[in-house]
Amino acid sequence: MDAILVVNAGSSSLKFQLFATGGANDLEVLVKGQLDGIGSRPRLRAAGPDGATLIDRTYPSHDIPDLPAATLAVGDWLRETQRADLIAVGHRVVHGGPEYDRPVLVDVGVLSDLERYCSLAPLHQPNNLAPIRSLLARRPGLPQIACFDTAFHRGHDALADHYAIPQNLYAEGVRRYGFHGLSYEYIAERLRQIAPAAANGRTIVAHLGSGASMCALAGGRSVESTMGFTALDGLPMGTRPGQIDPGVVLYLIAEKGMAPATVQDLLYRECGLKGLSGISNDVRELAQSADPRAAFALDYFVYRAGLHAGMLAASLGGLDAFVFTAGIGENSPMMRARIAGKLAWLGAVLDEKANAVSEPLISPPESRVALHVIPTNEELMIARHTQALLAESGRAGTAAKAS
């Protein structure tokens, strides 16, 4: 059986899914898992399509000290346990820069290009590229496809794409890219299936997790996003501040004497919900805390979500639907209810009972704005792109299996 492996690499974890190709459902999940705690307490967990546990194994830290070692461990386990011929690997890559506006077959030159954007996504890009580099060295004949979080937004109007800076900087790539594009692309496709009116109308999708952003869709196409040049902008996040006056950065460097690398670490790792609360970047922990700083952090998140929803509604000229997705959006009725309350001026009404049990539609018929809860599936989107690019290049089912 031919199969595609999808890899989503983070700073200390490697998420993966194995998809069979060519079946009745075209792409069928065979395995879903992750290896987390890399370098500290490595643990490999995976389940089959029915949710049954296939492995739950811990390793000594020195056995899996980094992402290349994690990639090798996952690959070894899949080869030992799955009767599948691997024809390609699809990767989530956060930043495609100005050159890459669609999935691409990776070679050494492409990898070198993508390494230039590591400073624009330091939490993600180096980790996204590490498994690609490792596999290129070990299995150079195996096709690897990079799928970009920025690509879905590349059709923005120039007015949405620009900063008010000299044109030569825009030409160099200093522009508003937007991120979480694989998630938004999946939601846009799902809306066509389950809510055609929303898919054809004016919709805001809120990807709310440790990383958080919102996207305005007009007829299923991205027209505006809360994120810009990097994944720091827009909504407050688990450890990132979201929208912040650039003068704050200048102040930290010029007046506080902080080195640029220290400021970068502060903005990516010590701000957001973690910085505001001084407790945690996890909404679940903050919701259970009696500390007033935890309540303030959640209040701030909700307030800013409401402000950005208003901005995106203005870009659309109104609002027909609002979609909650990702970790917080899919799993926190409390946060959904609070954010929905900020949409009341647009005509949104929450069905509290439907929201409490996370129904796909959490608004009553009289609501002028339909409120949806749709689980995202970035890995399926990557698998689809990988399969399509293999077909276009004529490499599907090639000798990559034997490489």
Side-chain angles (χ1 to χ4, degrees), residues 45-387:
R45 288 171 288 175
D50 58 356
T53 298
L54 300 177
I55 187 173
D56 188 343
R57 176 183 173 186
T58 58
Y59 299 81
S61 60
H62 57 79
D63 280 2
I64 304 183
D66 51 26
L67 279 167
T71 305
L72 182 62
V74 168
D76 287 345
W77 176 76
L78 288 172
R79 280 192 295 274
E80 292 168 4
T81 61
Q82 304 302 308
R83 295 182 178 179
D85 293 316
L86 191 62
I87 61 172
V89 182
H91 299 265
R92 178 196 178 203
V93 177
V94 165
H95 216 304
E99 290 94 348
Y100 297 104
D101 61 356
R102 65 198 66 192
V104 64
L105 185 67
V106 181
D107 57 21
V108 173
V110 171
L111 181 62
S112 179
D113 285 345
L114 298 177
E115 286 172 340
R116 292 184 293 157
Y117 308 120
C118 286
S119 65
L120 304 186
L123 288 187
H124 302 90
Q125 196 86 348
N127 301 313
N128 298 157
L129 301 182
I132 299 177
R133 187 181 302 105
S134 177
L135 285 170
L136 273 176
R138 292 178 178 275
R139 300 187 64 183
L142 178 65
Q144 296 191 76
I145 312 300
C147 301
F148 304 102
D149 264 338
T150 49
F152 185 64
H153 305 290
R154 290 300 303 279
H156 282 181
D157 184 91
L159 291 174
D161 217 17
H162 275 68
Y163 291 108
I165 57 177
Q167 186 66 25
N168 64 296
L169 291 173
Y170 176 86
E172 292 174 11
V174 183
R175 59 186 72 176
R176 300 187 71 250
Y177 290 98
F179 296 88
H180 293 134
L182 291 163
S183 176
Y184 294 130
E185 186 178 10
Y186 176 80
I187 297 299
E189 288 196 5
R190 282 292 292 153
L191 280 172
R192 294 190 194 102
Q193 300 167 3
I194 64 176
N200 294 323
R202 303 163 298 180
T203 300
I204 294 173
V205 183
H207 179 106
L208 307 178
S210 180
S213 69
M214 291 183 183
C215 177
L217 300 178
R221 183 176 64 88
S222 172
V223 297
E224 184 59 270
S225 172
T226 57
M227 281 184 169
F229 182 55
T230 70
L232 283 173
D233 202 5
L235 301 177
M237 294 165 251
T239 61
R240 287 169 268 169
Q243 185 180 25
I244 190 169
D245 185 338
V248 173
V249 178
L250 298 176
Y251 170 81
L252 295 176
I253 294 173
E255 301 297 328
K256 299 289 288 183
M258 294 174 68
T262 304
V263 174
Q264 176 177 280
D265 192 63
L266 170 73
L267 295 177
Y268 277 98
R269 302 180 186 277
E270 301 298 332
C271 293
L273 297 177
K274 179 182 178 181
L276 284 171
S277 69
I279 299 170
S280 174
N281 64 341
D282 192 314
V283 164
R284 294 165 296 188
E285 291 184 33
L286 297 177
Q288 295 171 0
S289 174
D291 193 313
R293 296 176 300 167
F296 180 80
L298 295 179
D299 289 346
Y300 185 87
F301 185 91
V302 171
Y303 173 67
R304 289 288 162 180
L307 287 181
H308 284 279
M311 176 192 74
L312 295 180
S315 75
L316 292 167
L319 190 62
D320 301 310
F322 190 96
V323 178
F324 293 94
T325 193
I328 299 169
E330 295 170 25
N331 300 304
S332 177
M334 177 270 293
M335 293 300 283
R336 288 198 301 261
R338 295 188 63 183
I339 293 170
K342 296 293 184 181
L343 307 176
W345 67 279
L346 289 163
V349 178
L350 181 71
D351 182 330
E352 294 183 3
K353 291 183 179 179
N355 181 52
V357 292
S358 301
E359 291 283 349
L361 181 66
I362 57 172
S363 57
E366 64 267 22
S367 179
R368 294 202 305 273
V369 175
L371 302 174
H372 297 272
V373 180
I374 303 177
T376 193
N377 195 334
E378 296 160 303
E379 288 78 13
L380 178 58
M381 208 70 246
I382 294 169
R384 288 174 178 170
H385 283 309
T386 300
Q387 186 179 44

